[in-house]
Amino acid sequence: MPDALLEVTDLAVHFNAKAGARGGSGVVKAVDGLDFSIGHGETVGVVGESGCGKSTTGLAIQGLVKATAGSIMLDGVDLTKLKNRQVRAARRRTQMVFQDPTSSLNMRMTVGQIVAEPLLVHETLPKAQHRERVAELLGLVGMPESALDRYPHEFSGGQRQRIGIARALAVEPDLIICDEPTAALDVSIRAQVLNLFRELQRERDLSYLFISHDLSAVHHISDRILVMYLGRPMELASRDTVYNDPQHPYTVALMSAVPIPDPDVERNRKHVLLKGDVPSPLNPPSGCVFRTRCPLAQDICATDKPEFRDVGTDGEKHMVACHFAQPGMAELVASKAAQ
Amino acid sequence: MTDMQRPGDATDATSPVALAGPGETMSGAPVTPTFALSKADRGGGGGRLAFNIGVTLVLLWVLIAITIPWWTPFDPVTDQDLQGRLAGPGGEHWFGTDNLGRDVFARVMYGARLSLPIALITVAVSVAIGCLIGAVAGFLGGIADEVIMRISDIVLSFPAIVLALAIAAALGPSTTNVVISIAAVTWPEYTRLMRGQVLSIRNNLHVLAAQSIGCSRARVFRVHVLPFGLQPILVKATVDLGMVILLAAGLSFIGVGAVPPTPEWGAMVSEAQSRIDSWWLGLFPGLAILSMVLAFNFIGDAMRDRFDPQMRTQRSKGGGAMSRILRRTFLGKAGERAA
């Protein structure tokens, strides 16, 4: 995609794990060999289990953790090659919304100060206009102007998340990285916040990297979905393809965990339950990292690392990292798992 | 959250009352502390009483220090009545006279003019230096941390009074040197405390959020880390006010502090040593030291109980006028609003 806003190529983030109580040490490959892109005004959802590197990916793009290898191109500029000061300047183009709105806001600052902070730091506006701009931003996220001089603890979780969103919007970024923005919210508020994201996108051509393990939220908001497992990309395709025709066994298992709000359908569905736990990222399986839990695993999976390849038909890109990727994977996995 | 199961309960416009509940203590966010101690806090009424006694005593001493020239006719140094030397308490001289016929009452009361500023300045210097160094150590980590902490370990490994004595003796007896020598031995305790605070605050989500906005390291440190570490410092500083008064008196007692004609409590007790028969010479300055040290300890202990996270759950806010004043003084608008 030549006109992509963000292009992540072969991104790797490795951490040196210090010797723990058991004396083990090594390298944790939190993210390894990740390729994806985000277009202008596009939402890419990232899903996967806890610890699969979703959040690390977001932090790496925002420059909050250092990429070990690979490149992150934002409008043709490689963010991984920037120096300290430039990294901070680049953060103007990308902003983050965090999972817990309670702890991601400085409780000692007023809402006005919180939302104005990006303006202050990046000096995009003269100070005299901050108040006006903050009031406008608060209006945008559906908060009253009277919130300006109040403190975050005076608001509900959903309102606090709106404050966090207003803060992210302050410097008019091109990309907002949402790190589980709805995980800490009540179900009813979740929908409101998701709709707010969509409205804002429509109005200002925003792109989102939407990190979540809430599959229904991801389905609601995403154009394309990236499925991750143990820091590796498993599958990347349009939302409908991922939901209706997943070609990776892990995606199949994930999707079967999404409840369908129709008792008839739900009763007749075949659920795929994965056995065991996610292996330690300190010592990932050889070959395909998913093979230890995959119902389709063969000998080749232990020896050869599956390539992240395009299996799409009719022009649509559909990336899958599986030796056995094929249409109708859902049925195949279900029948194998039933045996 | 049992609230979530009640239908229609989870609206976005929930009142802040429901949000300022115990849930906030779970996150890293600061909980607005209150100073009032209700009976339920301690399982008894002692805490609040002690706190009030402490505050009353300190305020009384401050009042005395300010107004003493107006209600004693005697000058503590120049009014010598050699005919009436070593007269017992009673009559014109409420606390008697010393060996030069000076009025002991005037000398003790004027002593507050020396002890209070010494304590305040010493603690302020010690807190300023200690906190800054400790916060830098915690924030930067690595070699800076190691070097700073080892130096503070060295200072801490000496008994405070011995090291302060050595420094004061080297500098020569004067009140300024008392301040310098005591500050020189007490700063490492603040360094340790602040470093620990910063280490834990550094991992709060709001710090990451501040970085993600594009704040410089200096700003993150100044605005988002430092203010959050000051709470326990405040408690320790209060208790230390008492300790410093004792230390300063100790230094003067030994003879390396305030120089003789100055009405200093420690020096007065020291002089009284050689005249055990004239019991009033030592008793009254001793009581003055005792009341001041106790007062600061009472306040400090009450504040510690109040800030202790273990005691922080399920407590009603509120309290008397005194707690409101203190809350406003120490916590600003945020504290006032929270109440």
Side-chain angles (χ1 to χ4, degrees):
Chain A
M1 233 189 286
D3 61 336
L5 170 68
L6 181 86
E7 190 129 20
V8 173
T9 315
D10 205 23
L11 178 69
V13 180
H14 296 177
F15 297 112
N16 282 319
K18 284 189 187 141
R22 292 186 181 172
S25 78
V27 174
V28 176
K29 296 182 176 178
V31 175
D32 204 33
L34 187 61
D35 287 299
F36 72 98
S37 64
I38 303 177
H40 290 276
E42 189 189 30
T43 303
V44 173
V46 183
V47 296
E49 283 163 275
S50 302
C52 72
K54 305 186 298 273
S55 295
T56 309
T57 306
L59 293 178
I61 294 170
Q62 190 67 3
L64 295 173
V65 299
K66 237 175 127 50
T68 312
S71 69
I72 302 168
M73 308 286 282
L74 183 74
D75 256 355
V77 180
D78 190 344
L79 300 181
T80 59
K81 302 261 188 305
L82 296 181
K83 297 266 182 297
N84 263 340
R85 197 171 287 272
Q86 295 166 310
V87 169
R88 276 194 276 124
R91 283 179 191 154
R92 209 197 120 187
R93 310 272 324 264
T94 60
Q95 290 278 299
M96 287 190 84
V97 174
F98 292 90
Q99 171 175 0
D100 184 352
T102 306
S103 54
S104 66
L105 303 177
N106 185 335
M107 301 300 267
R108 282 174 191 239
M109 291 165 84
T110 63
V111 171
Q113 290 170 326
I114 289 172
V115 178
E117 192 170 25
L119 301 172
L120 195 71
V121 169
H122 293 288
E123 293 170 346
T124 52
L125 267 184
K127 235 179 167 176
Q129 291 171 33
H130 281 186
R131 219 181 144 80
E132 196 186 329
R133 170 80 175 135
V134 171
E136 181 193 324
L137 286 163
L138 287 177
L140 209 60
V141 297
M143 293 279 291
E145 204 183 319
S146 61
L148 259 167
D149 294 312
R150 294 166 69 189
Y151 287 85
H153 71 255
E154 299 176 58
F155 296 98
S156 70
Q159 288 173 316
R160 282 181 210 161
Q161 193 57 290
R162 286 163 190 272
I163 296 167
I165 295 170
R167 170 172 67 180
L169 289 172
V171 284
E172 303 195 331
D174 301 304
L175 172 70
I176 295 187
I177 298 161
C178 310
D179 191 357
E180 312 226 15
T182 56
L185 304 179
D186 287 356
V187 181
S188 59
I189 297 158
R190 204 168 289 180
Q192 289 179 15
V193 171
L194 286 176
N195 288 335
L196 174 64
F197 276 122
R198 295 229 304 207
E199 273 167 42
L200 292 170
Q201 181 167 50
R202 219 172 300 140
E203 284 167 22
R204 21 194 78 207
D205 198 34
L206 275 170
S207 301
Y208 293 126
L209 180 70
F210 195 90
I211 298 161
S212 182
H213 54 233
D214 179 352
L215 294 170
S216 43
V218 169
H219 182 257
H220 186 72
I221 201 163
S222 303
D223 298 311
R224 287 189 301 142
I225 290 173
L226 169 68
V227 181
M228 288 181 74
Y229 183 81
L230 264 184
R232 275 69 161 178
M234 294 289 115
E235 187 158 9
L236 172 65
S238 74
R239 171 187 69 182
D240 293 333
T241 310
V242 167
Y243 273 78
N244 300 329
D245 184 24
Q247 297 207 9
H248 195 288
Y250 180 61
T251 315
V252 171
L254 265 188
M255 293 308 148
S256 91
V258 183
I260 295 177
D262 179 340
D264 292 331
V265 178
E266 184 65 36
R267 204 170 299 130
N268 298 319
R269 269 171 92 198
K270 287 173 204 135
H271 285 279
V272 181
L273 287 179
L274 292 179
K275 290 181 200 80
D277 290 322
V278 183
S280 160
L282 264 175
N283 186 19
S286 62
C288 173
V289 286
F290 183 55
R291 73 179 161 83
T292 51
R293 303 170 75 195
C294 181
L296 303 181
Q298 307 281 325
D299 292 343
I300 184 178
C301 300
T303 53
D304 292 12
K305 195 171 168 233
E307 207 182 319
F308 195 45
R309 62 202 163 97
D310 191 358
V311 298
T313 47
D314 23 285
E316 195 211 309
K317 229 178 171 189
H318 185 169
M319 306 292 289
V320 184
C322 177
H323 295 297
F324 307 107
Q326 54 185 279
M329 177 60 89
E331 286 75 26
L332 182 64
V333 171
S335 64
K336 278 276 184 191
Q339 283 170 16
Chain B
M1 287 263 277
T2 46
D3 280 4
M4 279 173 66
Q5 281 136 23
R6 247 180 286 145
D9 197 7
T11 51
D12 202 4
T14 340
S15 78
V17 180
L19 301 154
E24 308 217 337
T25 33
M26 303 304 290
S27 68
V31 167
T32 312
T34 49
F35 291 88
L37 291 165
S38 63
K39 282 188 181 171
D41 290 82
R42 303 275 307 239
R48 175 156 201 175
L49 182 68
F51 178 75
N52 287 343
I53 292 176
V55 170
T56 312
L57 273 175
V58 168
L59 289 180
L60 206 65
W61 272 119
V62 171
L63 196 73
I64 288 171
I66 294 170
T67 61
I68 184 65
W70 288 288
W71 45 289
T72 173
F74 302 105
D75 183 279
V77 181
T78 54
D79 279 344
Q80 304 184 355
D81 173 13
L82 290 172
Q83 260 78 53
R85 57 196 287 264
L86 294 175
E92 196 185 8
H93 300 287
W94 296 349
F95 288 179
T97 56
D98 67 4
N99 62 335
L100 292 174
R102 293 172 299 194
D103 181 53
V104 174
F105 177 77
R107 285 179 66 77
V108 170
M109 295 304 148
Y110 271 96
R113 290 192 146 190
L114 205 64
S115 288
L116 271 176
I118 285 183
L120 286 174
I121 295 172
T122 308
V123 169
V125 170
S126 180
V127 164
I129 296 174
C131 285
L132 199 69
I133 295 179
V136 167
F139 193 66
L140 295 183
I143 298 229
D145 185 26
E146 277 300 314
V147 171
I148 290 172
M149 292 326 289
R150 291 303 78 78
I151 292 174
S152 81
D153 280 348
I154 291 170
V155 178
L156 279 175
S157 65
F158 287 97
I161 181 79
V162 174
L163 191 57
L165 180 65
I167 296 172
L171 294 175
S174 85
T175 35
T176 319
N177 291 343
V178 168
V179 171
I180 294 174
S181 59
I182 297 178
V185 298
T186 48
W187 67 267
E189 296 178 33
Y190 293 101
T191 302
R192 299 223 127 228
L193 197 58
M194 195 63 189
R195 173 177 173 267
Q197 285 289 307
V198 168
L199 282 180
S200 76
I201 297 161
R202 207 170 56 161
N203 294 325
N204 282 5
L205 195 55
H206 81 263
V207 174
L208 189 70
Q211 288 172 322
S212 87
I213 289 169
C215 292
S216 62
R217 268 165 84 89
R219 186 180 164 83
V220 170
F221 176 64
R222 192 165 45 84
V223 179
H224 300 284
V225 174
L226 202 54
F228 288 83
L230 293 178
Q231 200 167 285
I233 299 283
L234 195 67
V235 175
K236 183 169 167 46
T238 313
V239 177
D240 275 4
L241 281 173
M243 191 206 69
V244 166
I245 286 174
L246 201 59
L247 260 181
L251 291 181
S252 297
F253 180 85
I254 294 163
V256 293
V259 215
T262 329
E264 209 281 336
W265 295 338
M268 291 166 75
V269 174
S270 177
E271 282 170 48
Q273 259 191 129
S274 50
R275 298 173 201 283
I276 295 290
D277 298 344
S278 311
W279 50 268
W280 56 91
L281 291 184
L283 178 71
F284 294 111
L287 282 178
I289 297 173
L290 176 78
S291 71
M292 199 90 110
V293 174
L294 264 186
F296 283 121
N297 275 338
F298 279 161
I299 300 175
D301 279 351
M303 277 165 60
R304 180 174 11 236
D305 289 349
R306 173 62 28 170
F307 288 145
D308 188 342
Q310 302 263 293
M311 311 195 73
R312 213 184 266 166
T313 48
Q314 298 183 353
R315 182 197 305 125
S316 64
K317 288 175 179 165
M322 187 53 72
S323 75
R324 266 204 304 284
I325 293 166
L326 280 175
R327 203 148 56 212
R328 208 171 305 154
T329 320
F330 291 131
L331 303 159
K333 267 191 264 172
E336 205 181 341
R337 276 160 195 279

